[in-house]
Amino acid sequence: MAVPALDALYFLDARGNVIMSRTYREDIGRDMAEVFKKSILENPQSEGTAPVKNLGSCNFLYIKYGNVYVLAITNKNAHAAMCLNFITEMARLMRGYFGSFNEDAIRNNFVLVYELLDEIMDFGYPQILNEQVLKSYITQKGTKVGDSGASGPSASSVNMMAVTGAVAHRREGIKYKKNEVYLDVIEDVNVLIGQQGSVLKADVQGGIVVKSYLSGMPSLKIGLNETSFLQNDSTTSKQVEKLAGRGRKIDLDDVVFHQCVNLTKFKSDNMVTFTPPDGEFQLMKYRATENLHIPFKVIPNIKDMGRSRIEVRVNVKSLYAPRLTAMRLLVKIPVPKYTAKARFELTGGKCKYDSATNMLVWKLKRFPGQENATLFADVELVSTLKERKPWAQPPIQLDFNIPMYTSSGMQVLYLKVWEKSGYDTTKWVRKLTKAGDFSVRCR
Amino acid sequence: MSSSKDGKRFFNTTAKKGEIHELKQELKTPDKAKKKDVVKKVIAAMTVGYDVAPLFPDVVNCMQTDDMELKKLVYLYLINYAKTQPDLTLMAVNTFVKDSLDPSPLIRALAVRTMGCIRVDKITEYLCDPLDRCLKDSDPYVRKTSAVCVAKLYDISPELVEERGFLDNLKDMISDANPMVVANSVAALSEIHSMSGKPVFELTSQTVMKLLAALNECTEWGQVFILDSLVDYSPKDSKDAESVIERIIPRLQHANCAVVLSALKVILKFLRFVSDEDFKGPMVKKLAAPLVTLLNTEPQVQYVALRNINIIIQRHKEILQNNIKVFFCKYNDPIYVKMEKLEALIKLANAENIDQLLLEFKEYSTEIDVDFVRKSVRAIGRCAVSIAESAQKCIDVLLGLIETRVNYVVQEAVIVIKDIFRKYPNKYESIISTLCENLDTLDEPEAKASMVWIIGEYADRIDNADELLETFLETFPEETSPVQLQLLTATVKLFLKKPTEKPQEMIQLVLSNATQETDNPDLRDRAYIYWRLLSTDPEAAKDVILSEKPVIADDTASLDPEMLDGLLANIGTLASVYQKLPDTFVARVRPAVQLAAGDFQAPTLDDGGAGQDPARAEQSAPVPDMPDLLGGLGDLEVSAPAPAAAAAAAPVDLMGDLLSLDVGGPAAQPAAQPPAGGSDPFGLDSLGGAPAAAPAVATQEPSLPVLLTVEKGKGLEVSGRLERRQGQVSYELSFRNATQQPLDGLMIQFNKNSFGLAPAGALQVPPIAPGASQRTSLPMSVDPQAATPAPAKPVLQVAIKCNQLGVLYLADSVNLAAVLMEDGAMQYAQFQQVWVKAPAANTQQQQLSSGGKTLEGCVQSLQGSGLFASGSGAFGAHLSGKFTLGALALVEVSAPQNGLVQVTCKSQRVDLLPLLMAHVGKALA
């Protein structure tokens, strides 16, 4: 049986010195941070290796955030995925508390950090990492014991119900003057295009982010355009075809939901029903690989012109509807390190050579649908007599935002809010497609 | 924000030293707000590693407060310093007990939680009553905290938990209405279950139903606890398994990947109990999507997921066969993620997707990271070997890569092409010419050896094979031994295939080089064999050297099924990441032993370094520095005194003759000699008190233990025991013939065993008349090199054959005294050094009966069993010994109390520890 516990948590600075730590069990030595520093951080061989390591009877799991290492230590066969996930969530929680997560933030809030470490983990078992709930009783102001007593014992036990109960994500008694809910469908398109312009690999990582500013205990229901994710039931897919007039049918490979969504209900009724936590949260994440709309077609042509010149030709065509516009389209074309200068001919936008990243950065502020843009660059290399190492041409990268467009075809058909007091809600639904890892191979 | 300014202020002020006194004064202030400020300063000082223990009474005085923040700070201080001031900690008990009755659930829980973290016996005693109360508290927050506290208490004192019946409380709490209470109780029970090694927590189908009900409601972490505990449940039948799987399937949609992995683990286990194929098939398909989603996380988590995927697809390749694209590497993936993705791609390769994969591998082979590129090239080779249809395509890609002329790519390609040739002999040799064009780029031994092998193997098809080999031969003496061996063989092959003048010259050169110029025995011996073969019978040489070689197999499914089962049961855990079973990296300590160890070390800790033996104090902090550690014991062994090393190196069968020499050896370490070796029949103060050092008695020895009874031995009774005399192991055997006929032609054979024991000569037994007995002593040789690999087993399997009865099998246990060498004595200083450096994993501790002896008596009996007294430390007598395998045996025996002694054994061979412990136990009894 796996023991799901870890023994200690450390916050270390970039050089491996301890900023703060909390030991949950006595089983390990005190100087493990020193061992970590000496044997892992300062060991050149561990560069680029996995962040899960075993030294003797001790196991080190770590993630680096900016200039802070968060290190978990255990001497048991702990749940590795859980430990790493816990670290990630903890960093997110502290960012929520302090506004940022770095060395200074930890040091400046040391009392609060200790308090949180005591609450989020007990004897090495993760307990609760929900920011909203924790903020209800672990505050920066310092609660007076009398406070909770004054508002009656019921208040504090309701409070505690939230910590342990099923609706851990929302507390009672939230009030807003104006009830608003925002729904953002955000998609990252990951595409790999071969040198002939063929799509080698494409997927969309989508998510729906909800910002809820709603009073009371509302129940929300969202209708998405028919997804054929749960096709095992043949009758529903037939119905889908009948209803095809309403929105494009999309194929989702997988969907994961925030814990507020009733998973069992989604399985039976294919409906996303939930009581949202207060504020912003990610309602669902999904992945699609079939029937995608790839927003751009890119054809690169990079030629070596002798020893000291390269000719770069890149053609970009937008494939979405003409009424849509991509904002801030960046085309980043890697060039050799020993590039001296580059001369450009453009049909639109601006281009410059960035010597820090060794890239030609071509920027188009607005790029409407169904248009073409071409870049021609004459790249001059520093001339040298030495034989150069063959240059491995990295792929061209694209970066863009396309509002009101989803690459997967995901649409929100309706959003219903129900609360027992029956207030009116202002609802906003937005869509955005961003470049995830959009690369084009040049060889 | 005011508090962040606060923080800065505290750290700035505590940077100065010598403030303890100042703080002490300040803590006396009656002003509450100021008092809190001062305590914050104290905690800040603690954080930066400044010792604020002297303030203990003053800080504890602040504990009685209605300010929650201040209370938490004081509690935090207590957790850190209670151990240093166990007596003063008692001052806090009253407040703790009072807090555990507070109307606020937050404070009640805080009190119980903190008390559980203070590992001071006095506090623990007082913890039981509040804990008992809080386990039944009306508030779920208090109950969930108390549940964890039971596990804490069990870690300190299992007896108390059992006495107070807290385990039953925990079991009741599985039915609690609050899901988080259920989850924490399950976590606590699971841990206690694995700590105690006793069946504390048995899952029944009712419990499982309760857990599944709670699963829907609790936090993500609680879901992990519950799912992990379900792995140990064995479903009643196929239907039971199906229903559990159905309930768990929705978990695969959870955003937390730990939940998904744990759910996968349970589903994969339960699927094995499902007999209905119509259920199984679709279910396995449903696992694909969640697995792929795991890759959509931070790289660190992705890595853990990929390691697990690589385990899962070894059992269920079908799950992801159609999803290979998700494993395509992104340009900016960290290298450790890329490597795992590549491994998954290799495992998923089949005849349908190979075209796509080859395009990818080719792409990766042009990237920058050298290790990744090499692995990509190897991937192409592995696909060629495992998928016969694709071999030609793979070779085409490899040839393309060779044309890039990138040094390491070419070398790697040559290595895999050699494998392809071995798998498909005489099929693709047309590409040899391309390979030959790139000879000059090869500078790594493996690539060179591969190329030389290819030239030798196809010497008859390569027109200029002799010239090519000659270029290599020019540097023969400087090459590494794998290359030299290949060169030798290749030259011989060339000569056999083209027995012309030039190869003849070459072969003479190589053979003389390999026999005279080298000190590598492998190379020399191989050269001599070839030489003799060639000079006596060239035709036979041809048959031997040019014979057909066995075809190599693909090794992509590398884990054996048992190991795979073990790993599948550990999905998500560190074991799955390392792809090692938990036992191999987790120090297993039984609770009784652990408790004893705790008691044992407590005084040292309290003394805090001022103790008598600083070296021992250090020992309680395990693993000071890793790389050193692993080699710790080994290093010291090398630096052992020269005479001992010399004696060990002497061939075993010469030991008898070297007796006089041996005597000089240990004499160099008189300090290590036991004073109690007085009964040595030779009067030599040398070989310690090994029992075998009394050979004069041997002939009259009354009886040997019976190994094979008359019934089992078809009428032959065999008794025997392993003995050690003057550095020589012998097997004392006695045969009694209970048949009606004389028995003759006795022969003996040993199975391979853990200590490399084998007969050094033939069994010399005259024919045994009916009813008569014969006694003999069989000399044994010890070759640690021939020993079976770890773990060591104390079993010796023997086969005895005689003309009348055929072969008889018997199993004897190895008498450890026979394999402990005479030069096991150690200087005490050296002993201490090794003892302290030994990692915790290489230690075993146990309480043993002293057999009513005093400490001196115990040491004496141990000296009689192959161990040597080395000295005595604060905790008892120390003895050392050395196995024939080269491993050290270090033993510590405490002074007997109530007829029990605390025995600690250490050795660099962990697997020998249980044997050593048993041996010590036998000697003491």
Side-chain angles (χ1 to χ4, degrees):
Chain A
M1 195 177 288
V3 183
L6 47 90
D7 290 334
L9 277 174
Y10 285 91
F11 298 91
L12 309 167
D13 68 13
R15 276 167 301 150
N17 300 318
V18 181
I19 305 171
M20 261 178 102
S21 71
R22 170 78 204 250
T23 309
Y24 291 100
R25 295 181 174 218
E26 301 281 319
D27 310 0
I28 56 149
R30 263 156 295 172
D31 49 355
M32 292 323 284
E34 192 64 19
V35 174
F36 174 74
K37 181 182 174 185
K38 288 267 151 56
S39 310
I40 296 175
L41 285 190
E42 291 173 4
N43 183 352
Q45 278 172 359
S46 63
E47 200 179 322
T49 57
V52 183
K53 289 200 178 63
N54 170 268
L55 291 180
S57 61
C58 235
N59 302 292
F60 300 79
L61 302 109
Y62 56 95
I63 298 183
K64 193 179 182 191
Y65 295 97
N67 56 0
V68 178
Y69 283 97
V70 183
L71 166 69
I73 295 182
T74 173
N75 64 2
K76 293 171 203 62
N77 182 26
H79 199 304
M82 190 187 75
C83 294
L84 289 171
N85 222 303
F86 179 81
I87 293 178
T88 322
E89 293 290 318
M90 181 175 68
R92 193 170 298 151
L93 172 74
M94 296 197 171
R95 205 172 288 133
Y97 258 98
F98 316 140
S100 62
F101 184 71
N102 55 42
E103 208 180 322
D104 287 337
I106 295 171
R107 230 173 231 142
N108 293 343
N109 294 287
F110 75 102
V111 175
L112 192 53
V113 174
Y114 275 130
E115 214 173 314
L116 284 173
L117 287 176
D118 200 39
E119 197 62 42
I120 58 179
M121 182 166 260
D122 194 6
F123 199 47
Y125 305 140
Q127 296 294 307
I128 183 160
L129 278 165
N130 188 296
E131 192 180 325
Q132 262 96 35
V133 176
L134 284 170
K135 273 187 171 164
S136 72
Y137 68 107
I138 294 184
T139 55
Q140 299 193 308
K141 287 175 199 119
T143 355
K144 282 270 191 295
V145 176
D147 287 359
S148 65
S151 53
S154 61
S156 75
S157 59
V158 164
N159 192 350
M160 289 303 102
M161 285 303 284
V163 178
T164 59
V167 271
H169 50 269
R170 190 179 179 93
R171 62 188 164 87
E172 297 242 22
I174 299 172
K175 276 215 175 68
Y176 284 98
K177 250 188 220 153
K178 196 178 169 196
N179 289 296
E180 283 178 305
V181 58
Y182 297 83
L183 213 71
D184 292 343
V185 183
I186 300 170
E187 295 192 343
D188 279 352
V189 209
N190 301 307
V191 185
L192 183 59
I193 298 179
Q195 61 269 57
Q196 272 96 35
S198 57
V199 176
L200 297 177
K201 176 183 139 182
D203 66 272
V204 164
Q205 308 285 354
I208 299 186
V209 174
V210 177
K211 288 188 199 113
S212 90
Y213 306 106
L214 298 169
S215 314
M217 275 290 181
S219 168
L220 272 69
K221 206 186 275 180
I222 292 181
L224 305 172
N225 52 335
E226 280 294 346
T227 61
S228 55
F229 168 59
L230 297 156
Q231 297 183 300
N232 32 7
D233 195 0
S234 59
T235 51
T236 47
S237 56
K238 266 177 207 152
Q239 285 166 354
V240 171
E241 275 152 38
K242 277 183 203 158
L243 291 167
R246 235 188 145 192
R248 183 160 60 107
K249 182 184 147 196
I250 56 170
D251 291 313
L252 297 187
D253 287 14
D254 193 24
V255 185
V256 295
F257 291 106
H258 185 266
Q259 55 169 333
C260 70
V261 177
N262 188 328
L263 293 178
T264 341
K265 213 159 184 179
F266 174 72
K267 265 201 92 114
S268 55
D269 315 346
N270 203 359
M271 197 174 283
V272 186
T273 320
F274 60 100
T275 298
D278 198 31
E280 184 175 335
F281 72 102
Q282 182 151 49
L283 174 71
M284 62 182 274
K285 284 197 284 186
Y286 57 89
R287 179 166 41 84
T289 49
E290 299 294 323
N291 295 329
L292 300 179
H293 293 257
I294 310 291
F296 297 100
K297 188 182 170 118
V298 183
I299 301 163
N301 188 357
I302 298 180
K303 272 190 269 180
D304 278 350
M305 311 295 286
R307 289 170 59 89
S308 61
R309 256 188 74 220
I310 294 181
E311 263 186 29
V312 178
R313 232 176 254 281
V314 179
N315 182 283
V316 181
K317 187 174 187 318
S318 55
L319 303 175
Y320 39 85
R323 64 190 163 80
L324 298 171
T325 305
M327 310 303 282
R328 219 183 74 90
L329 169 65
L330 287 184
V331 183
K332 294 184 234 170
I333 307 148
V335 288
K337 250 204 295 250
Y338 33 82
T339 295
K341 61 179 177 190
R343 189 178 57 76
F344 306 104
E345 280 169 32
L346 306 166
T347 58
K350 280 178 192 164
C351 191
K352 62 177 190 342
Y353 164 61
D354 180 16
S355 59
T357 54
N358 295 307
M359 285 201 206
L360 307 179
V361 183
W362 178 21
K363 187 170 171 185
L364 292 134
K365 271 191 188 145
R366 298 169 57 82
F367 195 50
Q370 303 295 334
E371 285 214 5
N372 258 309
T374 318
L375 162 115
F376 169 80
D378 186 4
V379 181
E380 237 176 79
L381 306 180
V382 179
S383 55
T384 148
L385 290 171
K386 268 195 298 190
E387 186 66 35
R388 279 186 183 123
K389 267 201 207 157
W391 177 57
Q393 164 88 59
I396 293 177
Q397 303 263 331
L398 261 66
D399 195 14
F400 51 82
N401 290 319
I402 313 174
M404 297 322 288
Y405 172 81
T406 52
S407 191
S408 69
M410 173 66 84
Q411 280 178 334
V412 178
L413 297 181
Y414 59 85
L415 163 62
K416 286 179 184 153
V417 180
W418 184 87
E419 216 275 338
K420 53 179 184 273
S421 64
Y423 54 71
D424 283 333
T425 315
T426 319
K427 297 176 277 193
W428 305 89
V429 177
R430 294 180 290 200
K431 289 188 285 185
L432 177 68
T433 291
K434 293 188 297 171
D437 177 35
F438 197 112
S439 359
V440 185
R441 284 180 184 165
C442 309
R443 281 163 289 133
Chain B
M1 249 170 265
S2 70
S3 89
S4 71
K5 273 178 218 144
D6 277 358
K8 205 158 248 160
R9 178 160 55 85
F10 294 126
F11 277 95
N12 287 341
T13 50
T14 48
K16 285 175 256 150
K17 281 200 173 185
E19 260 190 66
I20 288 283
H21 183 70
E22 213 171 293
L23 285 171
K24 210 177 180 94
Q25 293 305 320
E26 284 181 49
L27 274 171
K28 292 194 175 119
T29 173
D31 181 354
K32 277 184 188 167
K34 196 173 173 211
K35 196 178 248 181
K36 189 156 96 181
D37 255 16
V38 183
V39 176
K40 277 188 188 170
K41 269 192 217 167
V42 173
I43 299 289
M46 180 184 96
T47 304
V48 291
Y50 191 49
D51 185 19
V52 287
L55 295 168
F56 198 88
D58 310 273
V59 176
V60 172
N61 271 334
C62 306
M63 196 168 156
Q64 284 237 14
T65 168
D66 55 356
D67 185 322
M68 191 72 176
E69 198 181 353
L70 177 56
K71 197 178 265 297
K72 283 187 177 171
L73 289 171
V74 176
Y75 279 7
L76 181 70
Y77 180 91
L78 270 172
I79 294 174
N80 274 283
Y81 289 106
K83 267 215 149 140
T84 61
Q85 314 265 356
D87 296 325
L88 287 174
T89 312
L90 267 183
M91 289 164 55
V93 165
N94 267 335
T95 319
F96 274 131
V97 175
K98 209 176 124 217
D99 280 357
S100 76
L101 290 162
D102 195 279
S104 159
L106 268 179
I107 298 200
R108 291 201 298 277
L110 182 64
V112 173
R113 187 165 67 209
T114 311
M115 275 181 104
C117 293
I118 299 177
R119 299 170 68 95
V120 172
D121 291 347
K122 284 162 191 147
I123 291 283
T124 312
E125 286 163 28
Y126 286 98
L127 167 65
C128 290
D129 289 326
L131 179 58
D132 196 32
R133 229 175 9 245
C134 289
L135 279 167
K136 296 167 194 135
D137 200 287
S138 63
D139 192 291
Y141 181 74
V142 181
R143 289 203 302 278
K144 73 112 186 162
T145 311
S146 315
V148 178
C149 196
V150 176
K152 292 183 193 168
L153 182 62
Y154 196 92
D155 194 34
I156 308 169
S157 163
E159 295 83 5
L160 269 178
V161 171
E162 275 160 35
E163 234 169 70
R164 300 292 298 244
F166 287 147
L167 287 181
D168 296 325
N169 287 44
L170 275 187
K171 282 177 205 164
D172 292 344
M173 284 160 91
I174 291 182
S175 319
D176 199 291
N178 186 293
M180 193 150 176
V181 177
V182 179
N184 275 2
S185 308
V186 169
L189 276 172
S190 302
E191 175 137 24
I192 292 173
H193 184 91
S194 67
M195 267 199 268
S196 67
K198 281 184 284 184
V200 174
F201 182 41
E202 299 278 336
L203 286 167
T204 62
S205 58
Q206 282 153 329
T207 338
V208 169
M209 282 307 131
K210 282 178 200 159
L211 294 181
L212 287 173
L215 194 58
N216 247 333
E217 318 253 285
C218 58
T219 64
E220 45 199 327
W221 316 109
Q223 297 187 13
V224 176
F225 303 156
I226 292 180
L227 288 169
D228 274 2
S229 74
L230 285 177
V231 176
D232 285 355
Y233 173 67
S234 299
K236 289 189 300 261
D237 50 40
S238 176
K239 279 278 162 255
D240 191 16
E242 281 176 34
S243 74
V244 174
I245 293 175
E246 285 285 3
R247 301 280 295 273
I248 292 175
I249 279 281
R251 296 303 117 205
L252 295 176
Q253 240 103 60
H254 202 286
N256 185 327
C257 72
V259 176
V260 177
L261 279 173
S262 288
L264 272 171
K265 170 164 58 183
V266 181
I267 293 172
L268 285 174
K269 165 166 179 181
F270 280 37
L271 269 179
R272 291 164 63 192
F273 293 88
V274 174
S275 49
D276 181 2
E277 290 302 324
D278 290 340
F279 178 85
K280 236 180 189 167
M283 193 52 72
V284 168
K285 277 199 197 104
K286 278 190 194 165
L287 303 182
L291 276 176
V292 173
T293 303
L294 289 175
L295 299 181
N296 183 22
T297 46
E298 300 84 3
Q300 293 88 352
V301 181
Q302 222 181 98
Y303 169 75
V304 173
L306 279 166
R307 293 290 284 179
N308 280 292
I309 288 172
N310 275 329
I311 294 171
I312 294 172
I313 55 180
Q314 283 192 44
R315 178 59 52 82
H316 298 283
K317 201 172 174 179
E318 69 280 9
I319 298 182
L320 289 170
Q321 204 118 45
N322 300 322
N323 286 302
I324 51 160
K325 278 189 179 176
V326 299
F327 296 106
F328 286 2
C329 299
K330 287 189 190 149
Y331 185 72
N332 48 2
D333 278 334
I335 188 71
Y336 56 85
V337 168
K338 281 187 180 175
M339 288 295 213
E340 291 306 317
K341 283 188 173 174
L342 191 52
E343 190 59 42
L345 287 176
I346 298 170
K347 289 203 168 89
L348 291 172
N350 61 23
E352 278 106 63
N353 59 27
I354 188 72
D355 291 343
Q356 222 177 354
L357 281 180
L358 281 176
L359 273 178
E360 279 299 302
F361 292 156
K362 192 176 165 190
E363 181 70 31
Y364 303 158
S365 306
T366 55
E367 285 206 17
I368 305 158
D369 190 281
V370 177
D371 287 336
F372 181 61
V373 170
R374 283 176 185 273
K375 192 167 170 139
S376 306
V377 179
R378 288 223 177 191
I380 301 172
R382 274 168 75 177
C383 289
V385 171
S386 62
I387 309 166
E389 303 94 297
S390 72
Q392 184 60 54
K393 290 176 196 158
C394 296
I395 287 185
D396 292 343
V397 174
L398 287 171
L399 286 179
L401 289 174
I402 288 176
E403 267 154 33
T404 63
R405 311 248 161 185
V406 177
N407 177 297
Y408 48 84
V409 173
V410 174
Q411 311 218 37
E412 210 62 35
V414 169
I415 295 168
V416 298
I417 286 177
K418 174 209 65 182
D419 286 341
I420 297 176
F421 280 168
R422 289 201 56 191
K423 168 85 188 203
Y424 311 104
N426 303 323
K427 210 162 162 203
Y428 298 111
E429 56 277 10
S430 53
I431 62 171
I432 291 173
S433 56
T434 321
L435 296 183
C436 294
E437 286 162 20
N438 290 286
L439 286 186
D440 43 336
T441 49
L442 306 179
D443 53 10
E444 288 164 27
E446 199 185 351
K448 258 188 191 174
S450 301
M451 190 64 218
V452 173
W453 182 87
I454 294 173
I455 298 175
E457 191 64 19
Y458 294 98
D460 43 347
R461 325 248 175 114
I462 308 173
D463 296 335
N464 58 345
D466 44 357
E467 287 165 29
L468 294 174
L469 273 183
E470 207 168 21
T471 53
F472 283 105
L473 282 176
E474 281 163 14
T475 52
F476 185 86
E478 289 92 53
E479 297 292 356
T480 56
S481 67
V483 181
Q484 287 179 329
L485 284 167
Q486 285 307 340
L487 269 174
L488 172 63
T489 308
T491 320
V492 174
K493 282 180 186 164
L494 171 69
F495 172 71
L496 289 171
K497 286 178 175 172
K498 291 187 193 169
T500 52
E501 198 175 309
K502 197 164 170 199
Q504 196 157 4
E505 279 168 30
M506 282 163 66
I507 200 138
Q508 269 160 1
L509 176 79
V510 172
L511 286 177
S512 71
N513 245 322
T515 50
Q516 286 155 29
E517 310 285 324
T518 177
D519 45 11
N520 177 354
D522 278 352
L523 181 63
R524 198 180 51 216
D525 292 356
R526 195 189 282 190
Y528 274 125
I529 289 173
Y530 285 152
W531 200 329
R532 270 178 215 151
L533 264 173
L534 290 171
S535 55
T536 46
D537 187 351
E539 277 313 303
K542 235 178 199 167
D543 288 347
V544 171
I545 297 162
L546 303 181
S547 65
E548 255 179 52
K549 280 159 276 301
V551 175
I552 58 163
D554 155 49
D555 61 347
T556 40
S558 42
L559 294 174
D560 72 89
E562 243 172 73
M563 172 90 169
L564 194 54
D565 282 343
L567 291 180
L568 282 170
N570 277 300
I571 281 175
T573 67
L574 289 169
S576 69
V577 177
Y578 303 143
Q579 301 192 350
K580 284 180 191 163
L581 292 177
D583 292 353
T584 53
F585 64 91
V586 176
R588 275 190 90 90
V589 197
R590 269 169 280 131
V593 177
Q594 193 188 18
L595 178 76
D599 286 346
F600 205 52
Q601 287 172 357
T604 326
L605 277 174
D606 287 346
D607 288 348
Q612 320 85 322
D613 194 343
R616 278 200 59 86
E618 218 169 88
Q619 188 209 339
S620 62
V623 202
D625 190 7
M626 258 329 293
D628 264 340
L629 246 185
L630 287 178
L633 278 163
D635 285 351
L636 255 138
E637 196 202 344
V638 176
S639 63
V652 179
D653 50 340
L654 290 179
M655 280 294 217
D657 300 359
L658 287 172
L659 185 60
S660 51
L661 241 173
D662 241 350
V663 178
Q669 332 156 353
Q673 283 315 305
S679 67
D680 194 328
F682 289 107
L684 295 175
D685 183 24
S686 64
L687 299 173
V697 203
T699 41
Q700 284 96 39
E701 234 166 43
S703 66
L704 295 163
V706 176
L707 300 174
L708 192 67
T709 56
V710 178
E711 291 78 33
K712 286 195 175 162
K714 302 180 196 166
L716 179 69
E717 188 191 69
V718 184
S719 341
R721 180 167 52 210
L722 276 174
E723 300 280 23
R724 187 176 187 89
R725 288 177 193 164
Q726 292 99 57
Q728 169 94 44
V729 183
S730 65
Y731 205 23
E732 294 302 320
L733 285 165
S734 163
F735 301 93
R736 189 166 69 83
N737 183 358
T739 62
Q740 299 305 313
Q741 49 179 335
L743 299 174
D744 59 6
L746 265 80
M747 291 197 279
I748 193 161
Q749 195 50 258
F750 292 73
N751 201 351
K752 270 188 108 173
N753 52 71
S754 301
F755 295 91
L757 290 164
L763 190 62
Q764 305 282 341
V765 185
I768 314 169
S773 297
Q774 283 290 347
R775 207 176 160 115
T776 185
S777 170
L778 175 72
M780 302 278 287
S781 67
V782 179
D783 180 10
Q785 248 69 54
T788 52
K793 293 191 199 76
V795 188
L796 188 61
Q797 288 168 324
V798 184
I800 290 174
K801 188 185 165 201
C802 83
N803 289 348
Q804 286 73 23
L805 299 175
V807 185
L808 303 166
Y809 295 99
L810 61 94
D812 191 5
S813 61
V814 175
N815 174 11
L816 224 53
V819 290
L820 279 166
M821 296 204 284
E822 280 72 13
D823 58 358
M826 270 170 104
Q827 302 259 4
Y828 193 47
Q830 191 194 349
F831 180 94
Q832 281 174 314
Q833 227 178 334
V834 186
W835 180 265
V836 170
K837 275 204 184 170
N842 288 15
T843 306
Q844 195 180 354
Q845 226 176 28
Q846 212 171 322
Q847 296 237 339
L848 295 171
S849 158
S850 67
K853 289 187 278 287
T854 59
L855 182 57
E856 283 73 20
C858 292
V859 172
Q860 246 170 44
S861 0
L862 287 176
Q863 282 184 321
S865 63
L867 294 167
F868 298 87
S870 185
S872 56
F875 294 85
H878 286 144
L879 296 106
S880 68
K882 190 171 168 192
F883 290 104
T884 49
L885 303 168
L888 291 175
L890 308 180
V891 180
E892 182 189 74
V893 184
S894 73
Q897 267 181 347
N898 309 330
L900 288 176
V901 285
Q902 175 83 33
V903 176
T904 313
C905 294
K906 298 191 181 195
S907 172
Q908 60 264 64
R909 287 273 306 263
V910 180
D911 53 322
L912 290 172
L913 287 171
L915 308 189
L916 183 59
M917 193 55 91
H919 178 65
V920 171
K922 228 189 277 170
L924 289 176

